Amino acid sequence: MDQYTEILTRMSDNLSPDDDQYEEKLLAIASTFRSFSQSLTSFLCSNGFAGDSGNEDEKVSFLKNKFKGKNIPYPRDIKKWFTEGKGINRDTAFQICFAFGLSVEETNDFFRRVYFERSFDCHSISEAVYYYCIRNGLSYTDALDLISRMPK
Protein backbone atom coordinates (compact mmCIF):
# COMPACT_ATOMS: atom_id res chain seq x y z
CA MET A 1 0.00 0.00 0.00
CA ASP A 2 2.96 2.33 0.56
CA GLN A 3 3.85 1.92 -3.11
CA TYR A 4 0.35 3.07 -4.08
CA THR A 5 0.81 6.34 -2.19
CA GLU A 6 4.34 6.82 -3.51
CA ILE A 7 3.21 6.29 -7.11
CA LEU A 8 0.37 8.81 -6.80
CA THR A 9 2.64 11.30 -5.07
CA ARG A 10 5.24 10.96 -7.82
CA MET A 11 2.56 11.36 -10.49
CA SER A 12 1.17 14.49 -8.85
CA ASP A 13 4.64 15.97 -8.35
CA ASN A 14 5.19 15.80 -12.11
CA LEU A 15 1.87 17.48 -12.84
CA SER A 16 1.77 21.17 -13.72
CA PRO A 17 -1.16 23.38 -14.75
CA ASP A 18 1.15 24.76 -17.46
CA ASP A 19 1.31 21.37 -19.23
CA ASP A 20 -0.56 21.15 -22.52
CA GLN A 21 -2.27 17.94 -21.41
CA TYR A 22 -2.86 18.98 -17.79
CA GLU A 23 -6.55 18.06 -17.71
CA GLU A 24 -6.01 14.64 -19.27
CA LYS A 25 -3.13 13.86 -16.89
CA LEU A 26 -5.14 15.05 -13.89
CA LEU A 27 -8.10 12.86 -14.87
CA ALA A 28 -5.77 9.89 -15.37
CA ILE A 29 -4.33 10.35 -11.88
CA ALA A 30 -7.78 10.81 -10.33
CA SER A 31 -9.02 7.62 -11.98
CA THR A 32 -6.35 5.59 -10.14
CA PHE A 33 -7.66 6.48 -6.67
CA ARG A 34 -9.29 3.65 -4.81
CA SER A 35 -12.81 3.81 -3.48
CA PHE A 36 -13.72 3.16 0.15
CA SER A 37 -14.97 -0.34 -0.72
CA GLN A 38 -11.72 -1.20 -2.50
CA SER A 39 -9.65 0.08 0.40
CA LEU A 40 -11.83 -1.72 2.94
CA THR A 41 -11.52 -4.97 0.96
CA SER A 42 -7.73 -4.59 0.97
CA PHE A 43 -7.85 -3.98 4.73
CA LEU A 44 -9.99 -7.08 5.27
CA CYS A 45 -7.62 -9.23 3.21
CA SER A 46 -4.69 -7.95 5.28
CA ASN A 47 -6.55 -8.69 8.51
CA GLY A 48 -7.68 -12.27 8.27
CA PHE A 49 -10.27 -12.38 5.49
CA ALA A 50 -9.50 -15.50 3.47
CA GLY A 51 -12.63 -15.57 1.32
CA ASP A 52 -13.26 -14.39 -2.21
CA SER A 53 -12.46 -10.66 -2.25
CA GLY A 54 -15.06 -10.19 -4.99
CA ASN A 55 -17.86 -11.76 -2.96
CA GLU A 56 -19.72 -9.05 -1.03
CA ASP A 57 -21.70 -11.56 1.05
CA GLU A 58 -18.51 -13.20 2.34
CA LYS A 59 -17.00 -9.82 3.26
CA VAL A 60 -20.21 -8.75 5.00
CA SER A 61 -20.32 -12.01 6.96
CA PHE A 62 -16.67 -11.62 7.95
CA LEU A 63 -17.27 -8.06 9.17
CA LYS A 64 -20.42 -9.01 11.07
CA ASN A 65 -18.53 -11.81 12.82
CA LYS A 66 -15.78 -9.38 13.81
CA PHE A 67 -18.35 -7.00 15.27
CA LYS A 68 -20.20 -9.80 17.08
CA GLY A 69 -16.93 -11.22 18.41
CA LYS A 70 -16.20 -7.93 20.19
CA ASN A 71 -19.83 -7.35 21.24
CA ILE A 72 -20.19 -4.30 18.99
CA PRO A 73 -23.52 -3.73 17.26
CA TYR A 74 -22.88 -3.82 13.53
CA PRO A 75 -24.35 -1.31 11.08
CA ARG A 76 -27.30 -2.49 9.01
CA ASP A 77 -25.94 -1.16 5.75
CA ILE A 78 -22.60 -3.02 5.59
CA LYS A 79 -23.46 -4.62 2.26
CA LYS A 80 -24.04 -1.16 0.74
CA TRP A 81 -20.42 -0.33 1.50
CA PHE A 82 -19.49 -2.83 -1.19
CA THR A 83 -22.47 -2.79 -3.55
CA GLU A 84 -23.47 0.88 -3.63
CA GLY A 85 -20.23 2.61 -2.70
CA LYS A 86 -21.79 3.90 0.52
CA GLY A 87 -19.28 5.37 2.94
CA ILE A 88 -19.17 5.33 6.71
CA ASN A 89 -18.99 7.96 9.43
CA ARG A 90 -16.15 8.43 11.92
CA ASP A 91 -17.88 6.52 14.71
CA THR A 92 -18.33 3.52 12.44
CA ALA A 93 -14.67 3.74 11.46
CA PHE A 94 -13.73 3.59 15.14
CA GLN A 95 -16.11 0.66 15.65
CA ILE A 96 -14.26 -1.21 12.89
CA CYS A 97 -10.95 -0.45 14.60
CA PHE A 98 -12.29 -1.79 17.91
CA ALA A 99 -13.78 -4.84 16.17
CA PHE A 100 -10.38 -5.72 14.73
CA GLY A 101 -8.54 -4.96 17.97
CA LEU A 102 -6.29 -2.40 16.31
CA SER A 103 -3.58 -0.51 18.18
CA VAL A 104 -3.32 3.29 18.08
CA GLU A 105 -0.81 3.06 15.24
CA GLU A 106 -2.96 0.59 13.31
CA THR A 107 -6.01 2.81 13.86
CA ASN A 108 -4.08 5.79 12.49
CA ASP A 109 -3.15 3.64 9.49
CA PHE A 110 -6.77 2.49 9.00
CA PHE A 111 -7.99 6.06 8.97
CA ARG A 112 -5.29 7.15 6.54
CA ARG A 113 -5.57 4.23 4.12
CA VAL A 114 -9.23 3.22 4.35
CA TYR A 115 -11.26 6.12 5.75
CA PHE A 116 -9.05 8.75 4.04
CA GLU A 117 -8.99 11.14 6.99
CA ARG A 118 -6.93 11.81 10.05
CA SER A 119 -7.76 9.76 13.12
CA PHE A 120 -8.31 10.80 16.73
CA ASP A 121 -9.53 14.34 17.01
CA CYS A 122 -8.83 14.67 20.73
CA HIS A 123 -10.80 17.93 20.81
CA SER A 124 -13.80 15.62 20.66
CA ILE A 125 -14.61 13.94 23.98
CA SER A 126 -15.70 10.70 22.34
CA GLU A 127 -12.57 10.48 20.19
CA ALA A 128 -10.32 11.27 23.16
CA VAL A 129 -12.04 8.39 24.96
CA TYR A 130 -11.58 6.13 21.91
CA TYR A 131 -7.89 7.01 21.95
CA TYR A 132 -7.60 6.25 25.66
CA CYS A 133 -9.43 2.94 25.30
CA ILE A 134 -7.50 1.78 22.26
CA ARG A 135 -4.20 2.85 23.85
CA ASN A 136 -5.06 0.85 26.99
CA GLY A 137 -6.60 -2.22 25.34
CA LEU A 138 -10.13 -1.46 26.52
CA SER A 139 -13.22 -2.50 24.56
CA TYR A 140 -15.74 -0.48 22.61
CA THR A 141 -18.25 -1.20 25.40
CA ASP A 142 -15.79 0.33 27.88
CA ALA A 143 -15.48 3.37 25.62
CA LEU A 144 -19.25 3.83 25.48
CA ASP A 145 -19.45 3.51 29.26
CA LEU A 146 -16.77 6.17 29.74
CA ILE A 147 -18.41 8.48 27.19
CA SER A 148 -21.77 8.16 28.97
CA ARG A 149 -20.14 9.30 32.21
CA MET A 150 -18.50 12.37 30.67
CA PRO A 151 -19.98 15.78 31.38
CA LYS A 152 -22.14 17.13 28.59
Side-chain angles (χ1 to χ4, degrees):
M1 191 107 67
D2 290 331
Q3 292 175 337
Y4 172 76
T5 303
E6 289 174 20
I7 290 168
L8 290 178
T9 300
R10 226 175 304 128
M11 290 171 71
S12 65
D13 287 345
N14 295 327
L15 188 63
S16 170
D18 297 331
D19 288 347
D20 291 335
Q21 298 175 332
Y22 173 73
E23 290 179 25
E24 292 84 9
K25 290 179 181 179
L26 182 61
L27 289 172
I29 292 171
S31 70
T32 64
F33 283 93
R34 287 194 279 192
S35 67
F36 169 70
S37 66
Q38 291 169 322
S39 297
L40 183 59
T41 298
S42 178
F43 170 80
L44 296 178
C45 291
S46 297
N47 286 276
F49 178 70
D52 176 5
S53 64
N55 186 319
E56 287 83 16
D57 291 328
E58 287 183 26
K59 293 185 284 191
V60 169
S61 178
F62 179 75
L63 276 165
K64 284 181 179 179
N65 286 333
K66 285 292 194 179
F67 277 89
K68 287 178 189 176
K70 297 287 182 153
N71 202 27
I72 301 170
Y74 56 83
R76 292 184 207 158
D77 56 354
I78 293 177
K79 189 165 187 169
K80 292 180 182 178
W81 300 350
F82 301 105
T83 60
E84 297 178 15
K86 186 173 182 345
I88 60 173
N89 61 36
R90 290 183 67 80
D91 282 332
T92 303
F94 281 111
Q95 287 174 330
I96 292 169
C97 294
F98 276 102
F100 280 84
L102 302 183
S103 67
V104 168
E105 294 77 20
E106 291 166 330
T107 298
N108 288 335
D109 194 53
F110 175 86
F111 269 77
R112 184 173 54 86
R113 295 176 190 248
V114 180
Y115 191 65
F116 309 122
E117 285 189 17
R118 293 182 64 210
S119 65
F120 301 116
D121 176 4
C122 288
H123 292 98
S124 159
I125 290 175
S126 61
E127 292 193 23
V129 170
Y130 291 155
Y131 176 83
Y132 173 81
C133 289
I134 290 172
R135 169 68 72 201
N136 292 289
L138 300 174
S139 70
Y140 182 71
T141 304
D142 294 327
L144 293 181
D145 180 52
L146 286 171
I147 291 168
S148 73
R149 293 190 281 151
M150 291 290 160
K152 298 295 176 210

